[in-house]
Amino acid sequence: MVVFGTALQTKTTTCTAATSLPFRRSISSFSSSLPFQPSQKLPRFQVSAVIKKSPKRLKYSVPRLPKEDGLLYIEVDPEGTDTWKLDSAVELLKSGAVGVIPTDTVYAMVCDMTNHDAIERLRRLKEVEAAKPFSILCRSLHDIDTYTTGFPRGNSNGLSDYFRAVKHCVPGPYTFILTASKALPKQCVKYGPAIAKYASRKSLGVRIPDDVVCQAVLEKMGAPLISTSVRSPRENQWIIDPVLIADAYGPEGLNFVIDAGVRLANPSTVVDMIQIPPTVIRQGKGPKQPWMADQNDAADETD
C-alpha cells in the first residue's frame, strides 16, 4: 500500500481511540470539495517508547498524487515480499529527500550520504547537535571497508583478529565505531563526535542491519545511507510506530515513511572498535560478546 497526502479525511464511523491521531484522521480518499480539518496537537509521550496500544492499518484502494511538500507513506510486508513498493522512496532519496525506514532495531531517519543539503535538512529535522556524529547503514562488509580504515586485524605481536569475530555479528543489531577513511564524504564527518575522547579523530558508526526491507532500500540505493534513530521531538524517547513518526515529523518536512510494522524499543549495541580491546559504550539489542569489554573494564585497564 502506497499513499501520498497531507490533508485527507476518514469517515466518522471509523473514528476510535486508535484513529484520533492526526495522521490517522488525515488518510483516506481526497476530495478538493471538502474543507481542511486542522490536526489536533500530539499528546506528550509518557513512556520510554511511543506506541499506540491497538494499531490498525488502513487500506487504500487508489494511491493519490502528492501535493507540494506532501508526505509519501508506504506500507510494506516486513518479510520483504513487496519490495517493489520501495522504488518511489529510493527515487526520493536520490533526489535529496529525508525519510524514515525500518531496521532490525528502531526506525531510522535517513538520507543520501553524498548530498550535503539532505544531510543539513536531516540535522535540522532531528535537531541533531552540531557535534554529534551520524552513523551509516551499510549493505555489506565491503561498504565498511570502503568508508572506514577497517577492523583491527591480528598480527604477530598478539593482537587479536577482531575482523573475524565481527563477521559473526553482522548483519545484526550492532553499531561499530571505526576510523573514517578518505573515501567518506567530508560532510559526514566535518562536525566530529560529541564525546571528548573522540574529538581528535574522524570516527564513524557503521551498521549492517538484519532487516530485509532495510537491506532492499540499500540495495536499490546502491550505496550506504546516513542514519540517525527516530525519537520524539518533544520527549527523548524512541518512536517505534511509523504512524506516530508520520504525525510527528510529517508537518516538519519529512518526505516519506516506510511502514514495516511496529518495532521494539531496543536500539543497537554500540561498540568502539578504535579502542583495544573493543569497548561497549551502549548496551542495546546485540548481546555483549566475549571479546568485547565494557566501559568499566576499559577504565580499570587504564588506571
Side-chain angles (χ1 to χ4, degrees):
M1 179 277 295
V2 181
V3 172
F4 297 94
T6 52
L8 312 178
Q9 295 180 320
T10 57
K11 296 180 181 179
T12 57
T13 56
T14 63
C15 293
T16 66
T19 58
S20 64
L21 297 171
F23 189 78
R24 280 291 185 201
R25 190 179 58 250
S26 70
I27 302 178
S28 81
S29 299
F30 174 77
S31 172
S32 59
S33 64
L34 295 178
F36 171 74
Q37 297 296 323
S39 299
Q40 298 176 354
K41 294 183 178 179
L42 284 171
R44 292 180 65 85
F45 308 124
Q46 300 296 327
V47 293
S48 59
V50 182
I51 176 175
K52 295 191 293 82
K53 291 183 178 180
S54 301
K56 297 180 180 178
R57 305 293 164 187
L58 299 179
K59 304 299 180 182
Y60 309 95
S61 57
V62 181
R64 300 294 179 179
L65 294 177
K67 295 175 66 178
E68 185 177 358
D69 298 326
L71 175 72
L72 171 64
Y73 192 90
I74 306 172
E75 187 175 6
V76 299
D77 179 5
E79 300 299 321
T81 62
D82 51 3
T83 55
W84 58 269
K85 294 181 180 179
L86 304 173
D87 292 346
S88 53
V90 172
E91 289 304 311
L92 285 174
L93 283 171
K94 291 180 178 179
S95 65
V98 177
V100 168
I101 68 174
T103 73
D104 53 350
T105 55
V106 295
Y107 274 87
M109 194 174 293
V110 299
C111 71
D112 181 357
M113 65 183 294
T114 64
N115 190 313
H116 181 271
D117 291 338
I119 294 175
E120 291 302 309
R121 286 188 58 231
L122 176 57
R123 297 190 71 89
R124 291 194 298 269
L125 196 60
K126 268 291 301 292
E127 298 182 355
V128 177
E129 297 176 0
K132 186 175 181 180
F134 289 117
S135 296
I136 62 172
L137 301 179
C138 300
R139 297 165 294 175
S140 65
L141 288 168
H142 177 72
D143 283 342
I144 294 177
D145 286 340
T146 300
Y147 296 105
T148 74
T149 58
F151 294 96
R153 308 280 182 137
N155 59 29
S156 58
N157 296 325
L159 179 64
S160 299
D161 189 351
Y162 292 113
F163 175 73
R164 179 175 295 181
V166 166
K167 288 170 66 176
H168 295 287
C169 297
V170 296
Y174 293 91
T175 298
F176 297 106
I177 297 177
L178 295 166
T179 302
S181 71
K182 293 181 180 180
L184 188 72
K186 292 181 179 179
Q187 57 265 30
C188 299
V189 293
K190 75 173 188 176
Y191 294 98
I195 302 173
K197 65 181 179 180
Y198 302 139
S200 62
R201 312 172 187 171
K202 291 184 177 180
S203 59
L204 175 70
V206 294
R207 285 203 63 201
I208 305 178
D210 187 16
D211 182 274
V212 292
V213 176
C214 180
Q215 283 295 330
V217 173
L218 293 171
E219 289 296 334
K220 290 173 180 288
M221 190 69 187
L225 291 170
I226 288 285
S227 168
T228 179
S229 56
V230 180
R231 292 176 178 267
S232 166
R234 299 184 179 185
E235 304 287 345
N236 190 28
Q237 300 161 350
W238 312 111
I239 309 182
I240 58 178
D241 187 333
V243 172
L244 295 182
I245 293 173
D247 272 338
Y249 287 102
E252 303 301 321
L254 186 70
N255 298 116
F256 69 85
V257 173
I258 296 176
D259 177 353
V262 176
R263 307 281 104 167
L264 297 177
N266 201 2
S268 65
T269 294
V270 181
V271 184
D272 178 12
M273 299 296 296
I274 298 174
Q275 294 192 68
I276 301 297
T279 303
V280 176
I281 61 176
R282 183 184 73 189
Q283 182 62 58
K285 183 178 179 180
K288 178 177 174 291
Q289 300 297 321
W291 51 271
M292 299 176 184
D294 59 33
Q295 287 181 306
N296 292 333
D297 294 339
D300 291 341
E301 290 183 9
T302 59
D303 287 344

